[in-house]
Amino acid sequence: MRFEGQGVVWDPKANKALCRFENGFIETTDKRIIEGLKKAGYKGTKSTGTAAKDVIEVNEA
C-alpha cells in the first residue's frame, strides 16, 4: 500500500519509530506498518509499484 505524509510515524506500543516518509510517501507490503498507519489515521491507496524500496524503516536502538 502507498501512504502520503511527512516525517516519522511513532509506534507507541513498541516505543520506537514505525516508519519514515521519504519524498512525501511510503510504499509498503509490511502488514504491521500498514495497520499502524491506518490506526494513526493515514489512508492508503493501492501500490503503484514505483517505490525503489519496499519500506524505509527507522532503526533506533
Side-chain angles (χ1 to χ4, degrees):
M1 281 196 109
R2 181 182 172 111
F3 295 88
E4 292 185 24
Q6 296 293 320
V8 175
V9 177
W10 192 256
D11 181 353
K13 191 173 183 178
N15 197 29
K16 66 178 186 177
L18 178 68
C19 65
R20 177 188 313 240
F21 290 97
E22 292 290 329
N23 298 319
F25 75 93
I26 184 170
E27 198 166 337
T28 184
T29 57
D30 186 316
K31 292 181 185 206
R32 184 180 68 86
I33 293 174
I34 291 170
E35 290 306 313
L37 288 169
K38 285 182 177 180
K39 279 186 176 182
Y42 292 92
K43 294 182 180 177
T45 58
K46 187 175 179 180
S47 177
T48 60
T50 59
K53 293 183 180 178
D54 184 39
V55 166
I56 298 172
E57 289 189 44
V58 177
N59 295 319
E60 295 183 0

